[in-house]
């Protein structure tokens, strides 16, 4: 019984740390940001609209961190220089979203969300 309690305690202590790590694949990063289940980009837009700035800031920071991690990954296809250009644009777009959230500018957040949403095909057509 004592071992079981210790194992459960250690597992519970480690659990929050798992959620802090950036995803380690392109697919995971895209799923977090744009997936069907609670995509963070749309969530930040909704949070800004609802004036939930603390939540929006946390989620925008996650998006920015994941965008930085994306640049270090290698896509299945496409030229390296194209990947660099596309990931630089993606990082810039996420930085603009984070800056709009920091300024608590819901219109700029909405514009950044639209820019991000409209930029998918440029990268996917070459690298997916």
């Amino acid at each position: 019984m004592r071992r079981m309690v210790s194992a459960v305690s250690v597992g519970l202590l480690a659990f929050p740390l798992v959620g802090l790590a950036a995803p380690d694949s392109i697919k995971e990063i895209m799923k977090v940001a744009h997936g069907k289940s609670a995509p963070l980009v749309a969530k930040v837009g909704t949070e800004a609209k609802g004036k939930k700035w603390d939540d929006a800031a946390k989620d925008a920071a996650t998006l920015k961190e994941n965008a930085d991690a994306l640049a270090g990954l290698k896509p299945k296809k496409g030229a390296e220089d194209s990947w660099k250009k596309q990931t630089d644009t993606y990082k810039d777009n996420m930085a603009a979203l984070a800056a709009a959230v920091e300024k608590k500018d819901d219109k700029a957040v909405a514009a950044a969300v639209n820019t991000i949403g409209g930029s998918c095909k440029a990268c996917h057509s070459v690298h997916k």
Side-chain angles (χ1 to χ4, degrees), residues 15-117:
F15 182 75
L17 300 176
V18 172
L20 296 177
D24 61 356
S25 75
I26 296 167
K27 186 174 184 175
E28 288 177 36
I29 289 171
M30 291 293 113
K31 185 177 177 182
V32 168
H34 312 286
K36 292 179 183 175
S37 178
L40 277 188
V41 172
K43 190 176 176 191
V44 170
T46 301
E47 290 164 344
K49 198 178 228 182
K51 309 294 186 206
K52 295 180 180 177
W53 296 112
D54 290 340
D55 294 338
K58 181 185 76 133
D59 291 336
T62 298
L63 288 167
K64 193 170 178 296
E65 179 182 314
N66 288 354
D68 291 342
L70 183 68
L73 301 173
K74 184 173 170 65
K76 292 180 183 178
K77 65 179 190 174
E80 189 175 320
D81 59 332
S82 171
W83 179 250
K84 179 172 177 13
K85 180 182 175 188
Q86 295 297 334
T87 56
D88 284 349
T89 299
Y90 191 74
K91 289 188 327 184
D92 291 346
N93 290 340
M94 290 304 178
L97 178 61
V101 167
E102 188 176 316
K103 293 177 185 173
K104 298 181 180 177
D105 183 343
D106 57 339
K107 289 185 173 103
V109 169
V113 167
N114 286 335
T115 297
I116 292 164

